[in-house]
Amino acid sequence: MLYALAAIGAVTLIVLLWKGFGPMREALEQREGEQPGRPAPDDDPEFLRRIAEQQNKPGEDNR
């Protein structure tokens, strides 16, 4: 009987600590729903266009 009460107490303590200090559900949901502020350079069509224009300029040393 003493072991059963100790097990119930341990489980209760773990659940309370998890609820108090574990990952916050609202914070996780906000993070998952956020859209990235800027795309990566290779995904940004404006960046790729500027790079292509710079490479196609005549008279400059394009490496």
Short mmCIF file of all heavy atoms in Angstrom, two decimals:
data_model
loop_
_atom_site.label_atom_id
_atom_site.label_comp_id
_atom_site.label_asym_id
_atom_site.label_seq_id
_atom_site.Cartn_x
_atom_site.Cartn_y
_atom_site.Cartn_z
N MET A 1 0.82 -1.19 0.00
CA MET A 1 0.00 0.00 0.00
C MET A 1 0.86 1.25 0.00
O MET A 1 0.55 2.22 -0.68
CB MET A 1 -0.93 -0.05 1.22
CG MET A 1 -1.86 1.11 1.32
SD MET A 1 -3.08 0.95 0.02
CE MET A 1 -4.13 2.27 0.41
N LEU A 2 1.94 1.23 0.75
CA LEU A 2 2.83 2.39 0.83
C LEU A 2 3.48 2.67 -0.53
O LEU A 2 3.63 3.82 -0.94
CB LEU A 2 3.90 2.15 1.90
CG LEU A 2 4.83 3.33 2.19
CD1 LEU A 2 4.02 4.52 2.67
CD2 LEU A 2 5.86 2.93 3.23
N TYR A 3 3.84 1.60 -1.25
CA TYR A 3 4.45 1.77 -2.58
C TYR A 3 3.45 2.36 -3.57
O TYR A 3 3.83 3.18 -4.42
CB TYR A 3 4.98 0.43 -3.10
CG TYR A 3 6.19 -0.07 -2.33
CD1 TYR A 3 6.12 -1.26 -1.62
CD2 TYR A 3 7.37 0.64 -2.34
CE1 TYR A 3 7.22 -1.73 -0.92
CE2 TYR A 3 8.48 0.19 -1.64
CZ TYR A 3 8.40 -0.99 -0.92
OH TYR A 3 9.49 -1.44 -0.24
N ALA A 4 2.21 1.98 -3.49
CA ALA A 4 1.18 2.52 -4.38
C ALA A 4 0.99 4.01 -4.13
O ALA A 4 0.89 4.81 -5.07
CB ALA A 4 -0.13 1.78 -4.19
N LEU A 5 0.95 4.42 -2.87
CA LEU A 5 0.82 5.84 -2.55
C LEU A 5 2.05 6.63 -3.00
O LEU A 5 1.92 7.75 -3.51
CB LEU A 5 0.59 6.03 -1.05
CG LEU A 5 -0.77 5.57 -0.52
CD1 LEU A 5 -0.80 5.70 1.00
CD2 LEU A 5 -1.89 6.36 -1.15
N ALA A 6 3.23 6.04 -2.84
CA ALA A 6 4.46 6.71 -3.29
C ALA A 6 4.44 6.86 -4.82
O ALA A 6 4.84 7.91 -5.35
CB ALA A 6 5.68 5.92 -2.84
N ALA A 7 3.98 5.85 -5.53
CA ALA A 7 3.92 5.92 -7.00
C ALA A 7 2.92 6.98 -7.44
O ALA A 7 3.19 7.76 -8.36
CB ALA A 7 3.54 4.56 -7.56
N ILE A 8 1.76 7.03 -6.80
CA ILE A 8 0.76 8.04 -7.14
C ILE A 8 1.30 9.44 -6.85
O ILE A 8 1.14 10.37 -7.65
CB ILE A 8 -0.56 7.78 -6.38
CG1 ILE A 8 -1.20 6.50 -6.91
CG2 ILE A 8 -1.51 8.96 -6.50
CD1 ILE A 8 -2.39 6.02 -6.09
N GLY A 9 1.99 9.59 -5.73
CA GLY A 9 2.58 10.88 -5.39
C GLY A 9 3.65 11.30 -6.39
O GLY A 9 3.73 12.47 -6.77
N ALA A 10 4.47 10.35 -6.81
CA ALA A 10 5.53 10.65 -7.78
C ALA A 10 4.93 11.06 -9.13
O ALA A 10 5.38 12.04 -9.75
CB ALA A 10 6.44 9.44 -7.96
N VAL A 11 3.92 10.35 -9.57
CA VAL A 11 3.26 10.69 -10.84
C VAL A 11 2.62 12.07 -10.74
O VAL A 11 2.72 12.89 -11.67
CB VAL A 11 2.23 9.60 -11.23
CG1 VAL A 11 1.37 10.07 -12.40
CG2 VAL A 11 2.93 8.30 -11.57
N THR A 12 1.97 12.35 -9.62
CA THR A 12 1.34 13.65 -9.42
C THR A 12 2.39 14.76 -9.44
O THR A 12 2.19 15.80 -10.07
CB THR A 12 0.57 13.68 -8.08
OG1 THR A 12 -0.38 12.63 -8.09
CG2 THR A 12 -0.10 15.01 -7.88
N LEU A 13 3.51 14.55 -8.79
CA LEU A 13 4.58 15.54 -8.76
C LEU A 13 5.14 15.77 -10.16
O LEU A 13 5.36 16.91 -10.57
CB LEU A 13 5.69 15.07 -7.81
CG LEU A 13 6.85 16.03 -7.62
CD1 LEU A 13 6.36 17.33 -7.00
CD2 LEU A 13 7.92 15.39 -6.77
N ILE A 14 5.34 14.71 -10.91
CA ILE A 14 5.85 14.84 -12.28
C ILE A 14 4.88 15.63 -13.15
O ILE A 14 5.28 16.51 -13.91
CB ILE A 14 6.14 13.45 -12.88
CG1 ILE A 14 7.35 12.83 -12.17
CG2 ILE A 14 6.37 13.52 -14.37
CD1 ILE A 14 7.60 11.38 -12.52
N VAL A 15 3.59 15.33 -13.04
CA VAL A 15 2.59 16.03 -13.85
C VAL A 15 2.56 17.51 -13.48
O VAL A 15 2.52 18.39 -14.36
CB VAL A 15 1.19 15.38 -13.68
CG1 VAL A 15 0.11 16.26 -14.28
CG2 VAL A 15 1.17 14.01 -14.31
N LEU A 16 2.60 17.82 -12.21
CA LEU A 16 2.57 19.22 -11.77
C LEU A 16 3.82 19.98 -12.24
O LEU A 16 3.73 21.13 -12.68
CB LEU A 16 2.43 19.31 -10.25
CG LEU A 16 1.07 18.89 -9.68
CD1 LEU A 16 1.11 18.91 -8.17
CD2 LEU A 16 -0.02 19.81 -10.20
N LEU A 17 4.98 19.34 -12.13
CA LEU A 17 6.20 19.99 -12.61
C LEU A 17 6.16 20.18 -14.12
O LEU A 17 6.61 21.21 -14.64
CB LEU A 17 7.42 19.16 -12.20
CG LEU A 17 7.78 19.20 -10.72
CD1 LEU A 17 8.90 18.22 -10.42
CD2 LEU A 17 8.16 20.60 -10.29
N TRP A 18 5.63 19.21 -14.85
CA TRP A 18 5.52 19.34 -16.30
C TRP A 18 4.60 20.49 -16.68
O TRP A 18 4.91 21.28 -17.56
CB TRP A 18 5.02 18.03 -16.90
CG TRP A 18 4.85 18.11 -18.39
CD1 TRP A 18 3.70 18.29 -19.08
CD2 TRP A 18 5.88 18.05 -19.37
NE1 TRP A 18 3.95 18.33 -20.42
CE2 TRP A 18 5.29 18.19 -20.63
CE3 TRP A 18 7.26 17.88 -19.29
CZ2 TRP A 18 6.03 18.17 -21.80
CZ3 TRP A 18 7.98 17.85 -20.47
CH2 TRP A 18 7.37 18.00 -21.70
N LYS A 19 3.46 20.59 -15.99
CA LYS A 19 2.52 21.67 -16.28
C LYS A 19 3.11 23.03 -15.92
O LYS A 19 2.87 24.03 -16.57
CB LYS A 19 1.21 21.47 -15.52
CG LYS A 19 0.40 20.28 -15.97
CD LYS A 19 -0.19 20.54 -17.31
CE LYS A 19 -1.14 19.41 -17.68
NZ LYS A 19 -1.78 19.62 -18.95
N GLY A 20 3.90 23.07 -14.85
CA GLY A 20 4.46 24.34 -14.40
C GLY A 20 5.66 24.80 -15.18
O GLY A 20 5.82 25.99 -15.45
N PHE A 21 6.54 23.87 -15.55
CA PHE A 21 7.80 24.26 -16.17
C PHE A 21 8.02 23.69 -17.56
O PHE A 21 9.05 23.97 -18.18
CB PHE A 21 8.97 23.83 -15.28
CG PHE A 21 8.93 24.46 -13.92
CD1 PHE A 21 8.58 23.73 -12.80
CD2 PHE A 21 9.23 25.80 -13.77
CE1 PHE A 21 8.55 24.30 -11.56
CE2 PHE A 21 9.20 26.39 -12.52
CZ PHE A 21 8.85 25.64 -11.41
N GLY A 22 7.12 22.89 -18.05
CA GLY A 22 7.27 22.27 -19.36
C GLY A 22 7.01 23.26 -20.49
O GLY A 22 6.78 24.45 -20.26
N PRO A 23 7.05 22.79 -21.71
CA PRO A 23 6.82 23.69 -22.85
C PRO A 23 5.40 24.26 -22.81
O PRO A 23 4.44 23.57 -22.49
CB PRO A 23 7.01 22.80 -24.07
CG PRO A 23 6.85 21.41 -23.58
CD PRO A 23 7.25 21.41 -22.14
N MET A 24 5.32 25.52 -23.08
CA MET A 24 4.03 26.21 -23.07
C MET A 24 3.31 25.94 -24.39
O MET A 24 3.86 26.19 -25.47
CB MET A 24 4.21 27.71 -22.90
CG MET A 24 4.98 28.08 -21.68
SD MET A 24 4.04 27.66 -20.24
CE MET A 24 5.14 28.20 -18.97
N ARG A 25 2.12 25.44 -24.33
CA ARG A 25 1.37 25.07 -25.54
C ARG A 25 1.10 26.30 -26.41
O ARG A 25 1.25 26.26 -27.62
CB ARG A 25 0.06 24.39 -25.16
CG ARG A 25 -0.76 23.95 -26.36
CD ARG A 25 -1.98 23.17 -25.94
NE ARG A 25 -1.63 22.03 -25.14
CZ ARG A 25 -1.46 20.80 -25.62
NH1 ARG A 25 -1.61 20.59 -26.89
NH2 ARG A 25 -1.16 19.80 -24.83
N GLU A 26 0.73 27.43 -25.80
CA GLU A 26 0.43 28.63 -26.58
C GLU A 26 1.67 29.13 -27.30
O GLU A 26 1.60 29.54 -28.46
CB GLU A 26 -0.13 29.71 -25.67
CG GLU A 26 -1.49 29.38 -25.09
CD GLU A 26 -1.95 30.41 -24.08
OE1 GLU A 26 -1.24 31.41 -23.88
OE2 GLU A 26 -3.01 30.20 -23.49
N ALA A 27 2.81 29.11 -26.63
CA ALA A 27 4.05 29.56 -27.26
C ALA A 27 4.41 28.66 -28.43
O ALA A 27 4.86 29.14 -29.48
CB ALA A 27 5.18 29.60 -26.25
N LEU A 28 4.23 27.37 -28.28
CA LEU A 28 4.53 26.45 -29.37
C LEU A 28 3.58 26.65 -30.54
O LEU A 28 3.99 26.61 -31.69
CB LEU A 28 4.45 25.01 -28.88
CG LEU A 28 5.54 24.56 -27.92
CD1 LEU A 28 5.24 23.15 -27.42
CD2 LEU A 28 6.89 24.60 -28.58
N GLU A 29 2.30 26.87 -30.25
CA GLU A 29 1.34 27.09 -31.34
C GLU A 29 1.63 28.38 -32.08
O GLU A 29 1.50 28.44 -33.30
CB GLU A 29 -0.08 27.09 -30.77
CG GLU A 29 -0.55 25.72 -30.33
CD GLU A 29 -1.90 25.77 -29.62
OE1 GLU A 29 -2.44 26.87 -29.42
OE2 GLU A 29 -2.41 24.69 -29.27
N GLN A 30 2.04 29.42 -31.38
CA GLN A 30 2.38 30.68 -32.04
C GLN A 30 3.60 30.49 -32.94
O GLN A 30 3.63 30.98 -34.05
CB GLN A 30 2.69 31.76 -31.01
CG GLN A 30 1.48 32.38 -30.39
CD GLN A 30 1.86 33.46 -29.38
OE1 GLN A 30 3.00 33.55 -28.96
NE2 GLN A 30 0.89 34.27 -29.01
N ARG A 31 4.60 29.77 -32.44
CA ARG A 31 5.81 29.56 -33.22
C ARG A 31 5.52 28.76 -34.48
O ARG A 31 6.07 29.03 -35.53
CB ARG A 31 6.83 28.83 -32.36
CG ARG A 31 8.21 29.41 -32.50
CD ARG A 31 9.21 28.75 -31.63
NE ARG A 31 8.99 29.12 -30.23
CZ ARG A 31 9.27 28.33 -29.21
NH1 ARG A 31 9.76 27.15 -29.41
NH2 ARG A 31 9.07 28.73 -27.99
N GLU A 32 4.64 27.78 -34.39
CA GLU A 32 4.32 26.96 -35.55
C GLU A 32 3.53 27.74 -36.58
O GLU A 32 3.66 27.52 -37.77
CB GLU A 32 3.52 25.73 -35.12
CG GLU A 32 4.33 24.73 -34.34
CD GLU A 32 3.49 23.60 -33.78
OE1 GLU A 32 2.26 23.63 -33.95
OE2 GLU A 32 4.05 22.70 -33.15
N GLY A 33 2.70 28.70 -36.14
CA GLY A 33 1.85 29.45 -37.05
C GLY A 33 2.52 30.65 -37.68
O GLY A 33 1.98 31.25 -38.59
N GLU A 34 3.72 31.02 -37.23
CA GLU A 34 4.38 32.20 -37.75
C GLU A 34 4.93 31.94 -39.15
O GLU A 34 5.43 30.87 -39.45
CB GLU A 34 5.53 32.61 -36.84
CG GLU A 34 5.09 33.20 -35.54
CD GLU A 34 6.29 33.59 -34.67
OE1 GLU A 34 7.44 33.43 -35.12
OE2 GLU A 34 6.03 34.05 -33.55
N GLN A 35 4.84 32.95 -39.96
CA GLN A 35 5.45 32.91 -41.27
C GLN A 35 6.84 33.53 -41.17
O GLN A 35 7.03 34.50 -40.45
CB GLN A 35 4.61 33.69 -42.29
CG GLN A 35 3.23 33.13 -42.50
CD GLN A 35 3.27 31.75 -43.12
OE1 GLN A 35 4.15 31.43 -43.89
NE2 GLN A 35 2.32 30.91 -42.76
N PRO A 36 7.81 33.01 -41.87
CA PRO A 36 9.14 33.60 -41.79
C PRO A 36 9.13 35.03 -42.33
O PRO A 36 8.41 35.35 -43.27
CB PRO A 36 10.00 32.69 -42.66
CG PRO A 36 9.05 31.90 -43.48
CD PRO A 36 7.75 31.87 -42.75
N GLY A 37 9.92 35.90 -41.72
CA GLY A 37 9.96 37.31 -42.10
C GLY A 37 10.53 37.52 -43.50
O GLY A 37 9.98 38.25 -44.30
N ARG A 38 11.65 36.88 -43.79
CA ARG A 38 12.28 37.00 -45.10
C ARG A 38 12.62 35.61 -45.60
O ARG A 38 13.06 34.77 -44.84
CB ARG A 38 13.59 37.79 -44.98
CG ARG A 38 13.37 39.25 -44.68
CD ARG A 38 14.68 39.96 -44.59
NE ARG A 38 15.33 39.99 -45.89
CZ ARG A 38 16.52 40.54 -46.10
NH1 ARG A 38 17.18 41.07 -45.11
NH2 ARG A 38 17.06 40.54 -47.29
N PRO A 39 12.46 35.39 -46.89
CA PRO A 39 12.87 34.09 -47.43
C PRO A 39 14.39 34.02 -47.50
O PRO A 39 15.09 35.02 -47.47
CB PRO A 39 12.25 34.07 -48.83
CG PRO A 39 12.07 35.50 -49.18
CD PRO A 39 11.84 36.23 -47.90
N ALA A 40 14.89 32.83 -47.60
CA ALA A 40 16.33 32.64 -47.79
C ALA A 40 16.72 33.27 -49.12
O ALA A 40 15.90 33.37 -50.04
CB ALA A 40 16.66 31.15 -47.77
N PRO A 41 17.98 33.69 -49.27
CA PRO A 41 18.37 34.37 -50.52
C PRO A 41 18.09 33.55 -51.77
O PRO A 41 17.69 34.10 -52.80
CB PRO A 41 19.87 34.59 -50.35
CG PRO A 41 20.07 34.65 -48.89
CD PRO A 41 19.05 33.72 -48.29
N ASP A 42 18.27 32.24 -51.71
CA ASP A 42 18.03 31.45 -52.91
C ASP A 42 16.55 31.22 -53.18
O ASP A 42 16.19 30.69 -54.22
CB ASP A 42 18.78 30.12 -52.85
CG ASP A 42 18.36 29.28 -51.66
OD1 ASP A 42 17.74 29.82 -50.73
OD2 ASP A 42 18.66 28.08 -51.66
N ASP A 43 15.67 31.64 -52.26
CA ASP A 43 14.23 31.54 -52.48
C ASP A 43 13.61 32.90 -52.80
O ASP A 43 12.42 32.98 -53.08
CB ASP A 43 13.53 30.99 -51.23
CG ASP A 43 13.89 29.54 -50.97
OD1 ASP A 43 14.28 28.85 -51.93
OD2 ASP A 43 13.77 29.11 -49.82
N ASP A 44 14.39 33.96 -52.75
CA ASP A 44 13.89 35.31 -52.95
C ASP A 44 14.06 35.70 -54.42
O ASP A 44 15.17 35.90 -54.89
CB ASP A 44 14.67 36.27 -52.03
CG ASP A 44 14.12 37.68 -52.07
OD1 ASP A 44 13.10 37.92 -52.75
OD2 ASP A 44 14.72 38.54 -51.41
N PRO A 45 12.95 35.82 -55.15
CA PRO A 45 13.07 36.14 -56.59
C PRO A 45 13.72 37.49 -56.85
O PRO A 45 14.45 37.67 -57.82
CB PRO A 45 11.64 36.11 -57.11
CG PRO A 45 10.76 35.84 -55.96
CD PRO A 45 11.58 35.60 -54.76
N GLU A 46 13.48 38.46 -55.98
CA GLU A 46 14.08 39.79 -56.15
C GLU A 46 15.61 39.70 -56.03
O GLU A 46 16.35 40.30 -56.82
CB GLU A 46 13.52 40.75 -55.10
CG GLU A 46 14.05 42.16 -55.19
CD GLU A 46 13.64 42.88 -56.46
OE1 GLU A 46 12.61 42.50 -57.06
OE2 GLU A 46 14.35 43.82 -56.85
N PHE A 47 16.10 38.97 -55.05
CA PHE A 47 17.53 38.79 -54.87
C PHE A 47 18.14 38.09 -56.09
O PHE A 47 19.19 38.51 -56.60
CB PHE A 47 17.79 37.97 -53.60
CG PHE A 47 19.23 37.61 -53.39
CD1 PHE A 47 20.12 38.54 -52.88
CD2 PHE A 47 19.69 36.34 -53.69
CE1 PHE A 47 21.45 38.21 -52.69
CE2 PHE A 47 21.01 36.01 -53.50
CZ PHE A 47 21.90 36.94 -52.99
N LEU A 48 17.49 37.05 -56.57
CA LEU A 48 18.00 36.32 -57.73
C LEU A 48 18.02 37.20 -58.98
O LEU A 48 18.96 37.13 -59.79
CB LEU A 48 17.17 35.06 -57.97
CG LEU A 48 17.25 34.00 -56.86
CD1 LEU A 48 16.26 32.89 -57.14
CD2 LEU A 48 18.66 33.47 -56.72
N ARG A 49 17.01 38.06 -59.11
CA ARG A 49 16.97 38.97 -60.26
C ARG A 49 18.14 39.95 -60.21
O ARG A 49 18.81 40.20 -61.21
CB ARG A 49 15.64 39.73 -60.29
CG ARG A 49 15.49 40.64 -61.51
CD ARG A 49 14.25 41.52 -61.41
NE ARG A 49 14.25 42.37 -60.24
CZ ARG A 49 14.98 43.50 -60.13
NH1 ARG A 49 15.77 43.87 -61.10
NH2 ARG A 49 14.93 44.23 -59.03
N ARG A 50 18.41 40.52 -59.01
CA ARG A 50 19.52 41.47 -58.88
C ARG A 50 20.85 40.80 -59.17
O ARG A 50 21.72 41.38 -59.83
CB ARG A 50 19.53 42.08 -57.48
CG ARG A 50 18.50 43.18 -57.32
CD ARG A 50 18.63 43.88 -55.99
NE ARG A 50 17.99 43.03 -54.98
CZ ARG A 50 18.50 42.73 -53.80
NH1 ARG A 50 19.65 43.23 -53.43
NH2 ARG A 50 17.86 41.95 -52.96
N ILE A 51 21.03 39.57 -58.70
CA ILE A 51 22.28 38.85 -58.97
C ILE A 51 22.45 38.61 -60.46
O ILE A 51 23.53 38.79 -61.03
CB ILE A 51 22.31 37.52 -58.19
CG1 ILE A 51 22.34 37.76 -56.69
CG2 ILE A 51 23.49 36.65 -58.62
CD1 ILE A 51 23.59 38.46 -56.21
N ALA A 52 21.38 38.21 -61.13
CA ALA A 52 21.45 37.97 -62.57
C ALA A 52 21.78 39.24 -63.32
O ALA A 52 22.57 39.23 -64.27
CB ALA A 52 20.12 37.38 -63.06
N GLU A 53 21.19 40.37 -62.91
CA GLU A 53 21.50 41.65 -63.56
C GLU A 53 22.95 42.03 -63.36
O GLU A 53 23.60 42.54 -64.26
CB GLU A 53 20.58 42.74 -63.03
CG GLU A 53 19.16 42.64 -63.50
CD GLU A 53 18.26 43.69 -62.87
OE1 GLU A 53 18.73 44.46 -62.00
OE2 GLU A 53 17.07 43.74 -63.23
N GLN A 54 23.48 41.81 -62.15
CA GLN A 54 24.87 42.14 -61.88
C GLN A 54 25.82 41.29 -62.71
O GLN A 54 26.85 41.76 -63.18
CB GLN A 54 25.19 41.96 -60.40
CG GLN A 54 24.56 43.01 -59.51
CD GLN A 54 24.79 42.72 -58.04
OE1 GLN A 54 25.41 41.72 -57.69
NE2 GLN A 54 24.30 43.60 -57.18
N GLN A 55 25.47 40.03 -62.90
CA GLN A 55 26.34 39.14 -63.67
C GLN A 55 26.29 39.45 -65.15
O GLN A 55 27.25 39.18 -65.87
CB GLN A 55 25.93 37.69 -63.44
CG GLN A 55 26.28 37.19 -62.06
CD GLN A 55 25.82 35.77 -61.81
OE1 GLN A 55 25.03 35.23 -62.58
NE2 GLN A 55 26.32 35.17 -60.74
N ASN A 56 25.20 40.03 -65.63
CA ASN A 56 25.04 40.29 -67.05
C ASN A 56 25.51 41.68 -67.46
O ASN A 56 25.44 42.02 -68.63
CB ASN A 56 23.59 40.10 -67.46
CG ASN A 56 23.16 38.64 -67.35
OD1 ASN A 56 23.98 37.74 -67.47
ND2 ASN A 56 21.89 38.42 -67.12
N LYS A 57 26.01 42.49 -66.54
CA LYS A 57 26.48 43.83 -66.89
C LYS A 57 27.76 43.71 -67.71
O LYS A 57 28.71 43.05 -67.32
CB LYS A 57 26.77 44.65 -65.64
CG LYS A 57 25.54 45.16 -64.95
CD LYS A 57 25.92 46.05 -63.79
CE LYS A 57 24.69 46.56 -63.09
NZ LYS A 57 25.06 47.40 -61.93
N PRO A 58 27.79 44.36 -68.89
CA PRO A 58 29.00 44.30 -69.72
C PRO A 58 30.09 45.22 -69.16
O PRO A 58 29.81 46.24 -68.53
CB PRO A 58 28.52 44.79 -71.08
CG PRO A 58 27.32 45.62 -70.79
CD PRO A 58 26.71 45.07 -69.54
N GLY A 59 31.33 44.85 -69.40
CA GLY A 59 32.44 45.71 -69.05
C GLY A 59 32.95 45.57 -67.63
O GLY A 59 33.91 46.22 -67.26
N GLU A 60 32.32 44.77 -66.82
CA GLU A 60 32.80 44.59 -65.45
C GLU A 60 33.39 43.20 -65.32
O GLU A 60 33.04 42.27 -66.04
CB GLU A 60 31.65 44.76 -64.46
CG GLU A 60 31.12 46.17 -64.37
CD GLU A 60 30.08 46.33 -63.27
OE1 GLU A 60 29.97 45.42 -62.44
OE2 GLU A 60 29.39 47.35 -63.27
N ASP A 61 34.33 43.09 -64.38
CA ASP A 61 34.94 41.78 -64.12
C ASP A 61 34.03 40.99 -63.20
O ASP A 61 34.01 41.22 -62.00
CB ASP A 61 36.32 41.98 -63.48
CG ASP A 61 37.05 40.66 -63.30
OD1 ASP A 61 36.69 39.70 -64.00
OD2 ASP A 61 37.95 40.62 -62.46
N ASN A 62 33.24 40.09 -63.77
CA ASN A 62 32.31 39.27 -62.99
C ASN A 62 32.94 37.93 -62.69
O ASN A 62 33.19 37.14 -63.59
CB ASN A 62 31.00 39.06 -63.75
CG ASN A 62 30.28 40.36 -63.98
OD1 ASN A 62 30.29 41.22 -63.13
ND2 ASN A 62 29.68 40.51 -65.16
N ARG A 63 33.21 37.69 -61.45
CA ARG A 63 33.85 36.41 -61.10
C ARG A 63 32.85 35.45 -60.57
O ARG A 63 31.99 35.58 -59.88
CB ARG A 63 34.92 36.64 -60.07
CG ARG A 63 36.03 37.47 -60.62
CD ARG A 63 37.07 37.69 -59.56
NE ARG A 63 37.80 38.88 -59.95
CZ ARG A 63 38.92 39.24 -59.41
NH1 ARG A 63 39.46 38.55 -58.48
NH2 ARG A 63 39.53 40.32 -59.80
#
